Amino acid sequence: MPAPILIVGQGLAGSLLAWEFMRAGIDFEIADAGHARAASRIGAGIINPITGQRLVKSWRVDELLPAALATYRELETALDVSLVKAMRVRRFFRDDRERRIFADKRERGELAPYAGEGDEVGFWITGAARVDTAALITAMRTRLRSAGRLREETIPLSRMGGRHDLVILCTGARTDDVGAFDFARLQAAKGETLTLSVAGSPPVEPDVILNDGHWALPIGDGEVRVGATFEPGVADVNATAAAREELERAAERLLRREFHVVAHEAGLRVTTPDKHPVVGRSSVCPGAGIFNGLGSKGALLAPGLARQWMNHVTEGVPFDSAVDVARFARRDRLIP
């Protein structure tokens, strides 16, 4: 007999959901054929408390960050793998407008406790982190396989119905395969990164991320990741010359050193119309659930959302209305 719950997809969302279910003693199995298109495969896993051109605190970062870090530390112990590293961000101003925004928001305390004092060039952000999402999903895949919970296959929606009490779609970029959740209007967005070998002494301290809209992340052994481009609606994973040129210009600005390209990779993340992720059950098919739309902040958001799913399954706790997929159905007047 199949397990009562099937998780479809073992990227970051599926891996963290599986972890929460394992901790809670929930019977499940997970289906995933591999990670060729997953954002977790090439994603930098950066958690940055202050982002965007308008320098805003990441959504609910004050409550989500401590819980996320605690989850990753637990996983490090359970999986015997290093996953999270504390970082600082050196954010460079792009123009006078950003300087004024920073000065105004810092004076009003809107960026506390993460923003340090600024200068003419930029300011420091504390409380950042880097999560090795590729290592996490690889180690979790090994654990799931050894526990007999992993089905290494792609399962079409037509084969899911009726065999499980609940099917939770953590399918990421497979946005054409969300069935009852089409109304959420999930959209894949292509992102490309470069891995560079940098000449001379390290251009970046090992705990510092440079950011001026693009970012440069030290990954050890004289190598730096630079990213990321953003192409909403583009769903291929082919590296392009235009993206490489854009990222090389960013590397020249941020690193000010000679470098050569070691790797050029592309992956897909998923966004929603209101930029918030989606979790929850279908109103017309209660046996169908979803966990998707993490965008560029998956490392920060995913642990808390997985915990919401666990609380819902074990105790019937409703999903937070800000992330419940039902919010899109209500807007489209599909449900009262």
Side-chain angles (χ1 to χ4, degrees):
M1 292 290 292
I5 297 177
L6 173 66
I7 300 170
V8 183
Q10 195 251 318
L12 182 61
S15 293
L16 289 169
L17 185 57
W19 169 246
E20 289 293 337
F21 283 4
M22 291 169 72
R23 289 174 68 248
I26 298 170
D27 189 16
F28 73 95
E29 57 186 352
I30 187 166
D32 186 282
H35 307 119
R37 304 199 324 159
S40 307
R41 180 180 61 86
I42 71 159
I46 294 172
I47 297 177
N48 185 356
I50 300 173
T51 62
Q53 296 183 27
R54 297 198 59 79
L55 304 179
V56 298
K57 287 170 65 171
S58 293
W59 182 71
R60 296 188 179 176
V61 64
D62 294 339
E63 62 185 89
L64 293 176
L65 180 57
L69 294 178
T71 295
Y72 293 127
R73 296 299 185 196
E74 291 172 357
L75 281 161
E76 285 184 320
T77 300
L79 301 176
D80 192 24
V81 62
S82 178
L83 295 176
V84 62
K85 178 180 177 61
M87 305 292 288
R88 298 174 293 152
V89 178
R90 177 59 168 164
R91 172 61 189 260
F92 298 108
F93 297 129
R94 284 180 280 191
D95 50 37
D96 286 336
R97 174 178 169 275
E98 282 194 0
R99 290 186 182 88
R100 290 192 298 270
I101 290 173
F102 170 76
D104 291 344
K105 290 192 171 186
R106 189 172 187 278
E107 183 177 359
R108 294 195 298 267
E110 293 183 22
L111 303 180
Y114 308 105
E117 292 187 10
D119 52 35
E120 284 301 307
V121 177
F123 67 101
W124 285 95
I125 303 171
T126 60
R130 187 231 173 165
V131 179
D132 192 336
T133 56
L136 190 159
I137 64 176
T138 298
M140 181 58 75
R141 193 174 191 85
T142 300
R143 173 65 62 86
L144 292 164
R145 186 183 291 120
S146 66
R149 294 188 179 275
L150 177 65
R151 297 169 56 181
E152 300 189 70
E153 59 180 313
T154 299
I155 302 179
L157 283 176
S158 59
R159 287 176 50 200
M160 296 179 195
R163 301 186 66 235
H164 305 273
D165 297 335
L166 175 62
V167 176
I168 306 174
L169 302 178
C170 304
T171 50
R174 285 172 56 191
T175 55
D176 58 344
D177 201 12
V178 293
F181 301 100
D182 286 342
F183 61 87
R185 298 192 296 279
L186 299 174
Q187 182 182 57
K190 180 179 178 180
E192 300 184 47
T193 66
L194 298 180
T195 301
L196 309 176
S197 177
V198 183
S201 58
V204 188
E205 294 180 51
D207 69 336
V208 172
I209 302 167
L210 305 178
N211 188 304
D212 69 352
H214 292 86
W215 45 259
L217 170 74
I219 57 175
D221 298 325
E223 293 187 344
V224 177
R225 292 278 301 280
V226 175
T229 60
F230 179 68
E231 294 182 85
V234 178
D236 69 74
V237 289
N238 301 316
T240 64
R244 175 165 175 156
E245 182 178 349
E246 175 184 335
L247 294 170
E248 287 183 340
R249 288 197 303 268
E252 290 169 356
R253 292 194 313 270
L254 291 167
L255 301 177
R256 302 178 183 275
R257 303 285 182 88
E258 292 185 4
F259 59 82
H260 73 268
V261 176
V262 175
H264 180 188
E265 298 173 287
L268 300 175
R269 61 175 66 102
V270 179
T271 64
T272 63
D274 63 5
K275 311 303 181 186
H276 290 329
V278 290
V279 293
R281 292 182 185 251
S282 166
S283 61
V284 296
C285 183
I290 193 167
F291 182 176
N292 208 329
L294 296 175
S296 62
K297 295 182 171 62
L300 173 64
L301 299 173
L305 298 174
R307 185 67 55 86
Q308 284 198 37
W309 254 116
M310 184 273 290
N311 289 335
H312 176 76
V313 169
T314 58
E315 302 179 35
V317 177
F319 295 98
D320 184 332
S321 61
V323 296
D324 192 334
V325 68
R327 70 190 188 273
F328 291 116
R330 285 190 287 267
R331 291 171 191 175
D332 289 347
R333 297 183 181 179
L334 296 180
I335 63 175

